[in-house]
């Protein structure tokens, strides 16, 4: 099945229309399933049993089926086992990390947005953490967060926290998601900030993200990852599908479509643009009238600040005991995820520091891509973006 968006023929992965559904969306009004920390191997076994017969797999390639089968047979498998591929699962057509709880992801997809919800939607490694910091600081008129732990509760990751985490989020807050538009929890009253980035820098940043966090189970080199990225065989699927789906809605009144590069070139203008989109009188006007408040937003969302504060916060989370986790005000499903991570990733005497926020620059792809890889991605980009404004958007960056 395929469709044409922006003059480009692309695969359609939307779910079938059902009674009470919009095309490409889940049932309207269906209560989100409760999240539960089910046994990982049990989850994989059920997924294998649910797979269609060979030749009819609608979730992924036959290599995916073989991979899941191998995991189920190997009862001693842990997420720390490394591979040149990316161990993943498909939930309602969305490819995600094996450590994600399937019920939580489904509840995220079926979450009913509130009128005051603000979503930060991105393909992975396109400036998500940066946008989260900016929005939280806008909400607070430049006042810094009390602690990095506050960040994780005020800007929860929807696919991990689930619908319950979204409902319990302190407001105003920002819901982070990597879900493609076809399954995004949608409301005409909620607001969506979509941030994208040129695919070459995105690819490099995504590669380091996979390498730096061992629970992803990826042990290949950049050449391996490039092939996975350009073919769309990574978590959250194909980069081009993701961008094009959201691009189609760039002019919706409740969608703000921005690029990482415009934020880097003029962060002050980007901050005011976001603030105006969220609420001109309530958020943008105070920043324009008080330079000190705007300066604070710039300072506390700077790469220099985030690299220390956010990476330190992530390190703290990864090293917390189960007792420590139980004491912090996190959604239960986030606590369960970190508990699963600790169980599945062997502890070492001196684990490397988290490098979640790494470089934050434009053009790092030049340090990784070969000439052939650059040419191949240029060709893929031109083919997929043909006939859209995106075709020339990153000309000077690629």
């Amino acid at each position: 099945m395929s469709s044409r968006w922006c003059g480009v023929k692309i695969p359609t992965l939307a779910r079938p229309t059902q009674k009470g559904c919009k095309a490409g969306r889940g049932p309207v009004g269906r209560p989100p399933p409760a999240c539960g920390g089910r046994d990982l191997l049990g989850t994989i076994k059920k997924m294998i049993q649910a797979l269609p017969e060979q030749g009819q797999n609608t979730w992924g390639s036959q290599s995916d089926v073989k991979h899941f089968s191998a995991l189920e047979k190997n009862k001693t498998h842990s997420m720390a086992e490394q591979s040149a591929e990316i161990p993943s699962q498909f939930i309602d057509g969305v490819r995600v990390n094996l450590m994600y709880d399937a019920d939580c992801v489904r509840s995220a997809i079926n979450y009913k947005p509130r009128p005051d919800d603000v979503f930060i939607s991105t393909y992975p490694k396109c400036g998500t953490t940066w946008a989260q910091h900016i929005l939280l600081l806008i909400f607070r008129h430049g006042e810094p967060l009390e602690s990095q732990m506050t960040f994780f509760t005020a800007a929860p990751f929807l696919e991990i926290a689930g619908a319950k985490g979204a409902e319990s989020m302190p407001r105003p807050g920002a819901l982070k998601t990597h879900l493609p538009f076809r399954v995004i929890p949608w409301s005409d009253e909620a607001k969506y900030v979509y941030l994208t980035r040129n695919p070459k820098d995105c690819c490099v940043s995504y590669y380091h993200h996979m390498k730096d966090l061992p629970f992803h189970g990826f042990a290949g080199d950049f050449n391996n990852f490039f092939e996975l990225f350009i073919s769309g065989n990574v978590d959250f699927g194909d980069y081009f599908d993701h961008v094009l789906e959201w691009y189609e809605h760039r002019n919706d009144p409740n969608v703000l479509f921005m690029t990482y590069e415009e934020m880097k070139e003029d962060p002050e203008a980007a901050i005011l643009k976001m603030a105006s989109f969220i609420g001109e009188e309530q958020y943008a006007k105070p920043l324009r009238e008080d330079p000190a408040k705007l300066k604070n937003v710039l300072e506390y969302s700077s790469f220099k600040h985030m690299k220390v504060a956010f990476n330190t916060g992530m390190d703290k989370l990864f090293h917390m005991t189960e007792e420590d986790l139980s004491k912090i005000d996190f959604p239960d499903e986030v606590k369960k995820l970190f508990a699963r991570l600790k169980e599945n990733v062997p502890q070492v005497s001196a684990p490397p520091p988290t490098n979640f926020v790494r470089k934050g620059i434009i053009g790092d792809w030049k340090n990784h891509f070969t000439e052939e890889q650059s040419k191949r991605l240029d060709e893929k980009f031109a083919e997929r973006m043909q006939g859209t404004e995106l075709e020339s958007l990153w000309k000077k960056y690629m």
Side-chain angles (χ1 to χ4, degrees):
M1 184 184 298
S2 64
S3 63
R4 285 191 176 273
W5 284 341
C6 317
V8 182
K9 188 174 183 181
I10 61 176
T12 299
L13 301 177
R15 290 173 285 174
T17 303
Q18 308 170 31
K19 183 178 180 181
C21 298
K22 295 180 181 178
R25 296 198 178 279
V28 176
R30 184 175 69 189
C35 297
R38 296 184 300 176
D39 173 70
L40 179 60
L41 288 172
T43 300
I44 296 171
K45 186 172 183 179
K46 290 180 182 179
M47 290 164 56
I48 297 166
Q49 293 170 344
L51 285 172
E53 293 296 322
Q54 186 168 357
Q56 298 179 352
N57 177 21
T58 59
W59 284 355
S61 65
Q62 287 302 320
S63 63
D64 293 324
V65 181
K66 292 176 183 177
H67 180 71
F68 289 134
S69 300
L71 294 187
E72 198 280 328
K73 290 176 182 177
N74 181 7
K75 299 299 183 182
T76 62
H77 173 82
S78 79
M79 288 304 297
E81 291 184 20
Q82 303 289 290
S83 167
E85 295 184 353
I86 300 172
S88 305
Q89 57 179 319
F90 286 79
I91 302 171
D92 286 3
V94 180
R95 182 173 183 154
V96 297
N97 186 276
L98 276 177
M99 293 303 290
Y100 287 19
D101 182 88
D103 286 340
C104 274
V105 176
R106 290 194 182 97
S107 78
I109 291 172
N110 288 283
Y111 169 65
K112 186 176 180 180
R114 292 173 32 159
D116 60 348
D117 276 342
V118 178
F119 290 79
I120 299 169
S121 181
T122 69
Y123 187 78
K125 309 313 296 178
C126 287
T128 324
T129 303
W130 189 13
Q132 286 174 281
H133 278 85
I134 289 174
L135 279 178
L136 291 183
L137 288 163
I138 288 173
F139 288 142
R140 299 165 66 91
H141 302 295
E143 287 297 315
L145 300 174
E146 292 83 2
S147 72
Q148 197 58 38
M149 294 301 107
T150 304
F151 172 88
F152 296 114
T153 56
F157 190 177
L158 185 60
E159 290 88 291
I160 290 177
K164 288 183 179 179
E167 289 159 1
S168 63
M169 175 185 71
R171 283 168 165 83
L175 291 165
K176 164 188 170 178
T177 179
H178 293 317
L179 291 173
F181 184 85
R182 64 182 177 273
V183 293
I184 197 75
W186 180 261
S187 168
D188 291 339
E189 295 180 299
K191 294 188 176 181
Y192 302 81
V193 176
Y194 185 75
L195 188 60
T196 186
R197 186 181 193 180
N198 83 76
K200 292 182 179 178
D201 279 333
C202 173
C203 177
V204 168
S205 184
Y206 206 168
Y207 161 70
H208 285 285
H209 178 77
M210 286 289 173
K211 292 287 286 185
D212 290 342
L213 298 177
F215 63 81
H216 284 295
F218 175 73
D221 58 20
F222 179 74
N223 293 329
N224 299 133
F225 187 81
F226 173 83
E227 297 300 331
L228 296 172
F229 181 86
I230 200 170
S231 60
N233 290 317
V234 292
D235 290 348
F236 295 99
D238 185 83
Y239 164 91
F240 300 97
D241 286 347
H242 202 286
V243 175
L244 284 167
E245 286 182 26
W246 277 97
Y247 170 80
E248 182 72 5
H249 295 270
R250 68 197 182 283
N251 294 323
D252 289 4
N254 61 333
V255 173
L256 178 63
F257 192 99
M258 298 183 68
T259 69
Y260 183 91
E261 289 76 13
E262 71 175 288
M263 290 175 62
K264 287 292 292 184
E265 290 190 348
D266 194 342
E268 181 175 322
I271 288 168
L272 291 173
K273 188 175 183 179
M274 283 190 193
S276 181
F277 172 71
I278 300 304
E280 175 63 35
E281 288 296 316
Q282 188 174 2
Y283 297 114
K285 189 175 180 180
L287 295 182
R288 289 193 177 96
E289 293 180 346
D290 190 339
K293 292 179 179 178
L294 180 57
K295 182 181 178 182
N296 275 357
V297 178
L298 284 163
E299 179 181 347
Y300 292 112
S301 65
S302 67
F303 173 78
K304 180 180 179 181
H305 178 81
M306 289 192 302
K307 188 169 178 65
V308 174
F310 188 80
N311 287 353
T312 301
M314 289 294 289
D315 275 337
K316 185 176 180 180
L317 275 177
F318 280 122
H319 290 83
M320 277 186 176
T321 64
E322 190 171 342
E323 182 180 356
D324 291 334
L325 280 170
S326 67
K327 295 176 182 177
I328 57 179
D329 187 23
F330 274 15
D332 289 342
E333 299 314 319
V334 176
K335 296 178 183 179
K336 290 176 183 177
L337 173 69
F338 277 96
R340 290 198 297 274
L341 292 179
K342 292 180 74 67
E343 290 173 3
N344 285 278
V345 179
Q347 300 299 304
V348 294
S349 57
T354 302
N355 202 24
F356 201 96
V357 177
R358 192 178 61 91
K359 281 189 175 181
I361 62 174
I362 300 172
D364 193 33
W365 67 267
K366 297 174 184 177
N367 299 318
H368 295 74
F369 275 59
T370 64
E371 287 187 14
E372 181 191 7
Q373 288 169 339
S374 179
K375 181 180 179 181
R376 285 176 60 195
L377 194 51
D378 284 343
E379 291 172 349
K380 181 74 175 279
F381 182 84
E383 175 192 346
R384 295 302 307 276
M385 303 304 183
Q386 184 180 8
T388 75
E389 295 172 5
L390 296 170
E391 193 174 12
S392 58
L393 183 62
W394 289 297
K395 187 171 291 185
K396 70 177 182 178
Y397 304 114
M398 293 174 58

